[in-house]
Amino acid sequence: MDLLMPSTGLLFWMTVVFLIVLAVLWKWGFPAITTMVKERKNFIDESLRKAHEANEKLANIQQEGESILQSAREQQAAILKEATATREAIVAKAQTQAKEEGARLLDDAKTEIESQKQQAIREIRAQVAELSVKIAEKIVRERLSTDDKQMELIDKLLANVSVDDKNDNK
């Protein structure tokens, strides 16, 4: 039973040693431990505050990123709209120029056709006149083949000339 019940002397010395250890710990150990705990608590609090600030900054950065992205989308839409308007203006201008060029070419072609038509008419008239003169020459030769026919024609022409002079004098 000695194992379960220590002797009084041992109990006394254990109590004295306990009180000495408690006094040393109270004087130097507990203040160091509490200082370290406070420092650790401050470090954790500071880390939490910094993490909170970092989260706020991240949220602000995300908001700024969203606003920049929205602004970029708006600019992209404006640029696309402007590019579409410019493209449509260029296409309209090109169509107008093409129509004007087509009309000019058509007018030039009409003028050329009219010119060639007039040239052809002049050539035909010249040919008709030449043929008429040749035909008239052949007819006159046949009619004037004899002297009597020549004299008869001269008399007719003189009669026509004298009638024309009388009409002109009136």
Side-chain angles (χ1 to χ4, degrees):
M1 256 275 212
D2 265 348
L3 288 177
L4 293 177
M5 287 294 278
S7 68
T8 358
L10 181 63
L11 199 54
F12 171 76
W13 287 113
M14 283 176 65
T15 306
V16 169
V17 170
F18 174 75
L19 290 174
I20 291 173
V21 169
L22 182 65
V24 169
L25 283 177
W26 198 276
K27 176 86 175 160
W28 291 287
F30 289 140
I33 291 172
T34 54
T35 303
M36 288 184 352
V37 168
K38 284 180 184 177
E39 287 175 1
R40 182 72 179 156
K41 180 185 177 286
N42 289 338
F43 177 76
I44 291 172
D45 289 343
E46 185 67 21
S47 295
L48 286 174
R49 186 186 59 77
K50 287 180 180 179
H52 182 68
E53 288 176 3
N55 281 337
E56 287 178 359
K57 286 181 182 178
L58 180 62
N60 288 339
I61 290 172
Q62 286 177 340
Q63 288 176 350
E64 288 177 15
E66 288 294 323
S67 67
I68 290 171
L69 186 60
Q70 182 64 28
S71 173
R73 286 181 183 150
E74 290 171 0
Q75 287 178 351
Q76 178 187 17
I79 290 170
L80 287 175
K81 185 177 181 180
E82 183 179 330
T84 302
T86 303
R87 179 185 54 89
E88 289 174 359
I90 290 171
V91 167
K93 184 177 179 182
Q95 286 176 343
T96 303
Q97 287 177 345
K99 286 178 183 179
E100 289 173 357
E101 183 67 18
R104 186 187 61 78
L105 289 174
L106 188 59
D107 288 342
D108 289 349
K110 286 179 181 179
T111 304
E112 181 67 24
I113 290 170
E114 185 63 30
S115 172
Q116 289 179 359
K117 178 181 167 185
Q118 293 299 327
Q119 180 68 25
I121 290 173
R122 281 193 296 271
E123 288 176 6
I124 290 172
R125 284 183 181 165
Q127 289 175 356
V128 167
E130 187 179 324
L131 286 174
S132 297
V133 169
K134 287 182 181 178
I135 291 171
E137 183 182 332
K138 286 184 181 181
I139 292 174
V140 169
R141 277 193 191 156
E142 278 183 28
R143 288 192 171 193
L144 299 177
S145 58
T146 63
D147 287 336
D148 294 333
K149 289 182 180 178
Q150 287 177 6
M151 288 308 282
E152 186 181 319
L153 181 61
I154 290 172
D155 288 339
K156 279 185 186 177
L157 287 174
L158 286 174
N160 282 339
V161 169
S162 58
V163 170
D164 286 339
D165 285 340
K166 289 179 185 176
N167 287 337
D168 287 340
N169 288 336
K170 289 184 182 178

